[in-house]
């Protein structure tokens, strides 16, 4: 949006004796996307802009078209006409981004790479350092208010304790900004994610890379819901299945919501070389090793695919996602989810357990011993 303003593609335009402020011509924008290598062709450019329309980022100036058309039609960013929905979650996200930008722009910022238990973490800070800074800079009136702000940022997935063991405290515990707000994101990243429409056509999708778009009522921004506020993307209401899943972490009573489901076949070919039964997995002396994985969902989910049933297996793992970082591998079998034994369940049930559970996912998996 800012680049389009700088390039004068967004400006006041006159059509049929009426002036429309801060708008752009769809056909011109498609040209711009291709010229600036944001899209390889017009079809991709149209799909990208449709994504922005589907998520209330842009709209037709008179709201006469629900689809993005590559034509001489006028569209506008909702931030330019005040119709962008500023829910509490969006405000928290923007507050976190503002604090991050302020921190990284000062000389000798306390936001730096630090090591704990022989592991290096990016964008870290001590809880007490952050409290001191928030009060000093007038971002909070007192230390109590600063702690409350830190807790809100943590509950919305913007900051976290480096080993994810603690909520936010005024102490020397080490935290990090979980989101790198300065990472250059390309629009084409949106196309790795499917729309909510496709999801409704395949309710039994085995993919847990993204959460299902839920029923209205509770909502979520980024990766967690607070079970109270209305958010841009609705979140699944926590159900009794969560308690069955054994959520023992008191610090993450919030539920991750994966805003856009992935583009994928509903029934991809199994990665297993041959079927494996529960009896084979559990028989004495069987060549399978059990591992416990703790996976902290990020802004787009956990990053893996579960498939099959009785037992279920890991069908695919996003190499850049949280699951891969936790040690998850293709062909592992799912033994338990958040303390619940699941070898006897199918992938739909396990997917439901994961999606209605806490942001921090604890899974036991079994893998063949090489």
């Amino acid at each position: 949006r800012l680049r389009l303003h700088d390039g004068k593609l967004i400006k006041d335009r006159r059509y049929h004796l009426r002036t429309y402020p801060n708008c752009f011509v769809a056909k011109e924008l498609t040209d711009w996307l291709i010229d600036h290598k944001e899209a390889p062709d017009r079809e991709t450019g149209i799909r990208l802009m449709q994504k922005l329309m589907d998520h209330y980022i842009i709209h037709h100036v008179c709201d006469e078209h629900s689809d993005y058309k590559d034509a001489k039609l006028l569209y506008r960013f909702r931030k330019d006409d005040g119709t962008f929905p500023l829910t509490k979650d969006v405000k928290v996200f923007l507050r976190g981004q503002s604090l991050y930008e302020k921190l990284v722009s000062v000389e000798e910022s306390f936001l730096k790479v630090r090591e704990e238990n022989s592991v290096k973490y990016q964008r870290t800070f001590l809880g007490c350092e952050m409290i001191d800074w928030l009060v000093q800079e007038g971002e909070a009136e007192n230390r109590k208010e600063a702690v409350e702000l830190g807790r809100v940022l943590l509950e919305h997935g913007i900051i976290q304790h480096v080993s994810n063991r603690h909520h936010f405290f005024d102490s020397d515990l080490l935290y990090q900004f979980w989101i790198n707000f300065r990472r250059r994101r390309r629009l084409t990243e949106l196309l790795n994610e499917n729309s909510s429409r496709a999801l409704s056509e395949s309710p039994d999708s085995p993919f847990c890379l993204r959460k299902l778009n839920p029923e209205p009522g509770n909502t979520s921004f980024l990766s967690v819901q607070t079970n109270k506020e209305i958010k841009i993307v609705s979140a699944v209401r926590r159900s009794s299945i969560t308690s069955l899943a054994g959520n023992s972490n008191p610090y993450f009573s919030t539920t991750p919501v994966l805003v856009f489901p992935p583009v994928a076949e509903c029934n991809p070919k199994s990665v297993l070389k041959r079927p494996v039964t529960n009896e084979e997995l559990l028989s004495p002396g069987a060549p399978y090793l059990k591992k416990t994985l703790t996976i902290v969902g990020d802004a787009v989910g956990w990053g893996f695919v579960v498939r099959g049933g009785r037992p279920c297996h890991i069908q695919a793992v996003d190499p850049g996602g949280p699951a891969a970082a936790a040690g998850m591998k293709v062909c592992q079998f799912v033994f338990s989810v958040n303390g619940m034994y699941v070898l006897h369940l199918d992938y739909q049930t396990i997917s439901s357990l994961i999606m209605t559970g806490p942001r921090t996912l604890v899974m036991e998996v079994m893998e063949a011993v090489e």
Side-chain angles (χ1 to χ4, degrees):
R1 170 177 159 267
L2 296 177
R3 291 168 68 195
L4 294 176
H5 274 287
D6 291 341
K8 307 300 181 185
L9 264 76
I10 295 178
K11 58 186 178 183
D12 295 354
R13 298 175 186 269
R14 193 168 178 79
Y15 181 73
H16 282 181
L17 304 179
R18 180 178 173 183
T19 298
Y20 296 89
N22 293 319
C23 58
F24 59 86
V25 178
K27 190 174 185 302
E28 291 180 7
L29 179 54
T30 309
D31 293 337
W32 184 91
L33 290 172
I34 296 171
D35 292 343
H36 289 76
K37 303 189 185 309
E38 289 288 352
D41 49 51
R42 303 195 78 80
E43 180 185 356
T44 304
I46 293 168
R47 290 170 62 204
L48 287 169
M49 291 302 103
Q50 186 61 50
K51 276 285 187 182
L52 299 188
M53 287 199 73
D54 290 343
H55 292 89
Y56 305 100
I57 306 297
I58 63 174
H59 67 125
H60 180 257
V61 290
C62 298
D63 290 317
E64 293 176 355
H65 301 277
S66 59
D67 293 332
Y68 181 84
K69 301 182 185 299
D70 186 21
K72 291 185 178 180
L73 294 174
L74 300 181
Y75 292 82
R76 184 187 290 133
F77 279 83
R78 290 186 178 274
K79 284 201 75 171
D80 284 330
D81 64 8
T83 61
F84 183 69
L86 279 176
T87 63
K88 177 185 175 181
D89 292 279
V90 176
K91 292 176 181 178
V92 171
F93 177 81
L94 294 175
R95 183 75 185 278
Q97 184 179 35
S98 171
L99 293 174
Y100 182 85
E101 290 293 340
K102 195 171 179 180
L103 278 167
V104 298
S105 62
V106 300
E107 291 185 16
E108 299 184 8
S109 171
F110 60 81
L111 206 63
K112 60 185 69 173
V113 178
R114 289 182 173 89
E115 187 173 310
E116 185 169 287
N117 296 328
S118 301
V119 179
K120 286 187 176 180
Y121 297 96
Q122 304 287 330
R123 306 179 295 279
T124 68
F125 56 89
L126 300 179
C128 55
E129 279 182 325
M130 177 63 82
I131 300 296
D132 292 342
W133 182 81
L134 289 171
V135 174
Q136 178 184 327
E137 294 295 316
E139 296 287 349
E141 289 188 5
N142 51 54
R143 301 188 78 83
K144 180 181 177 182
E145 186 178 300
V147 170
E148 290 172 355
L149 173 57
R151 292 193 162 217
V152 169
L153 294 175
L154 186 143
E155 288 166 1
H156 283 74
I158 294 170
I159 65 172
Q160 69 167 26
H161 178 253
V162 290
S163 58
N164 204 38
R165 294 178 179 174
H166 302 280
H167 211 311
F168 186 76
F169 293 102
D170 185 359
S171 67
D172 59 358
L173 290 171
L174 189 60
Y175 298 88
Q176 69 178 149
F177 271 87
W178 183 241
I179 299 174
N180 179 4
F181 288 100
R182 287 200 168 183
R183 182 175 76 82
R184 171 85 165 103
R185 291 169 173 81
R186 301 195 68 83
L187 279 174
T188 49
E189 291 181 35
L190 289 171
L191 298 185
N192 295 327
E193 303 153 343
N194 199 2
S195 70
S196 56
R197 302 174 187 173
L199 201 31
S200 62
E201 297 166 5
S202 56
D204 291 334
S205 170
F207 285 80
C208 288
L209 289 170
R210 303 286 189 274
K211 272 205 172 182
L212 304 184
N213 259 353
E215 40 190 50
N218 286 346
T219 62
S220 158
F221 185 78
L222 293 180
S223 61
V224 268
Q225 83 165 41
T226 60
N227 292 323
K228 299 180 191 174
E229 304 292 342
I230 300 301
K231 310 178 171 117
I232 286 185
V233 182
S234 298
V236 184
R237 181 177 292 278
R238 295 291 295 282
S239 66
S240 58
I241 202 167
T242 306
S243 58
L244 293 174
N247 176 16
S248 59
N249 189 337
Y251 305 121
F252 289 97
S253 58
T254 53
T255 304
V257 171
L258 308 162
V259 176
F260 312 112
V263 176
E265 298 174 60
C266 288
N267 295 294
K269 184 178 178 182
S270 173
V271 294
L272 298 179
K273 294 180 180 178
R274 64 177 182 82
V276 176
T277 65
N278 285 340
E279 289 73 21
E280 184 178 347
L281 275 179
L282 300 174
S283 63
Y288 293 97
L289 181 67
K290 188 189 294 184
K291 292 184 176 180
T292 300
L293 308 177
T294 301
I295 308 165
V296 183
D298 64 9
V300 292
W302 295 277
F304 69 93
V305 177
V306 64
R307 178 72 175 142
R310 305 176 186 89
C312 286
H313 64 272
I314 303 303
Q315 174 76 8
V317 179
D318 176 4
M328 181 174 282
K329 299 175 184 176
V330 168
C331 294
Q332 290 174 333
F333 295 93
V334 184
F335 182 87
S336 72
V337 174
N338 294 324
M340 176 181 278
Y341 174 79
V342 296
L343 280 182
H344 61 298
L345 302 178
D346 56 22
Y347 73 77
Q348 293 99 327
T349 307
I350 290 180
S351 296
S352 178
L353 278 174
I354 293 169
M355 292 184 221
T356 56
R359 175 171 177 257
T360 300
L361 176 64
V362 178
M363 291 180 64
E364 287 181 291
V365 296
M366 300 182 73
E367 67 178 31
V369 178
E370 298 181 353

